[in-house]
Amino acid sequence: MTERTSITPTHRYRNNDKAVGVGNAFWDMSERNGLAGIVAELQDGVLHTPEGHEFVNFTCCSYLDLDSHPKVIDGAVDALRRFGVLDHCIPRSRVQIPALLELEASLGELFGAEVVSAISAGVASAGLLPLIASGHLGNGTRPLMVFDKYAHVSMAGAKPACADETEVVTCGHHDVGFLEDMCKRYQRVAYVVDGADSLGGYAPVQELAELQEKYGLLVYYDDSHSVSAYGERGVGYIRSHCPIRDERTITVATLNKAFGTSGAAILLDGYAKPAQRVIERFAGALSYSQPMNTAAVGASLASAEIHRTDELTALQGRLRAHIELFDSLIKTEQTGTTYPIRVVPMSDETVIEAGRQVYEAGFYVSPVFFPIVPRGTAGLRVMLRAGQTEEQIRALGAVLVEVGALPEEAAP
Ligand SMILES: *Cc1c(COP(=O)(O)O)cnc(C)c1O
């Protein structure tokens, strides 16, 4: 028998040997130390494990605690009763119950955009980015796709599919100079970036808007991390600051973080109905997989209603106060920003043990360390929420100092 061929992958845009090889060791170590694989029930904001341990979660992205709001829960139940079906299983482009249309009208009013819903932001990006790459979403010109180096994995994961449609490159974080160079060289450029990124920064929307005006740059923002937590009526960072409201700006946002429900919103301006049809028919899983189900729609309608009231402003205020309280206790690189995530620096050697002690004291914070983050940037990731109490935040601060965090000098 002749020798059978072995395959050498190109790994131009992804590499599972590296991802699994590097990442699995991190997860195994976290799990061995009891800081991953935790199962616990939620009661009145406190998690309870079957072994009897109680802790407050300080690594949950439901920044306004709307996911357990009584009106959001009732909204889900009411919609199930009103529409009488969880998910009428057939592509919506053929037949749909009016649930999604009702939700999209409500979210459209809230965000001041044309809204197409999706079951998740990950699914939305996986479907939309290849359509942008081929020019079918945009102005018809096939763009050079420039992915920001730190674009969330839900977007970066679409690189291979985009690369089959056009040229794909990765640029430095917020490298506007590089983008301008590309805009001078290519007929069209599309830039893929987070609106608010997990490092605590926001996209340079004004500088990007200049490139949008000057060269017709298309910007694809994922604003999942700031919607609801930021801006009037929780419209998020991009809808608050981006002046370009036409075909050149596309924004997606999950409804699963501060919005407190499930699903995602694709925010469009200046895209006529036919473009929205192309999305429904060709944006990957949006065309053939399940849409948001009726419970998620009902919960989202209720959350959107809360966004229209002073209650949202009050919740945002509580979140901001909690962030400021934490900053007054512990020094981090993010101190002073409006973003709800803090990384409390620790060494690669001590971070797991520190995380374990904090957990034993009744708080979950997630350790991040090499190889998941570069050497020298390990730390305990802390997320503030409106629903935490001042007492809990102060107690966490005290424990963090005990395990080696740097107290803020002015700390009381
Ligand atoms: C959390 C997150 C997502 C995932 O959202 P899903 O709706 O759960 O897919 C996508 N993008 C960013 C930037 C996120 O932070």
Side-chain angles (χ1 to χ4, degrees), residues 120-123 152 154-155 194 222 224-225 254-257 263-264:
S120 74
V123 159
H152 189 262
S154 58
M155 295 177 279
D194 294 38
D222 181 340
S224 290
H225 255 304
T254 186
L255 301 179
N256 185 232
K257 292 201 166 111

Side-chain angles (χ1 to χ4, degrees), residues 184-298:
K184 286 176 180 162
R185 283 191 16 211
Y186 286 81
Q187 284 180 331
R188 186 139 225 237
V189 175
Y191 177 45
V192 181
V193 66
D194 294 38
D197 54 63
S198 50
L199 306 172
Y202 294 104
V205 283
Q206 293 306 331
E207 288 163 275
L208 292 172
E210 283 169 29
L211 297 185
Q212 291 182 284
E213 281 296 12
K214 200 163 167 192
Y215 302 99
L217 172 74
L218 187 158
V219 185
Y220 183 90
Y221 289 112
D222 181 340
D223 211 14
S224 290
H225 255 304
S226 84
V227 154
S228 303
Y230 189 99
E232 205 174 317
R233 303 207 301 172
V235 298
Y237 187 80
I238 299 303
R239 294 305 286 186
S240 298
H241 297 289
C242 178
I244 308 291
R245 298 288 180 91
D246 60 28
E247 164 272 318
R248 295 169 293 181
T249 305
I250 296 176
T251 307
V252 299
T254 186
L255 301 179
N256 185 232
K257 292 201 166 111
F259 197 84
T261 63
S262 179
I266 301 164
L267 312 177
L268 303 168
D269 302 277
Y271 280 92
K273 273 278 170 253
Q276 295 178 32
R277 289 282 180 265
V278 166
I279 292 176
E280 286 173 20
R281 293 170 186 166
F282 298 100
L286 263 68
S287 72
Y288 61 77
S289 193
Q290 56 189 306
M292 286 174 66
N293 67 42
T294 309
V297 168

Side-chain angles (χ1 to χ4, degrees), residues 314-327:
L315 287 170
Q316 287 179 330
R318 278 189 66 137
L319 173 62
R320 224 173 11 251
H322 288 174
I323 295 169
E324 282 164 16
L325 173 60
F326 186 83
D327 281 352

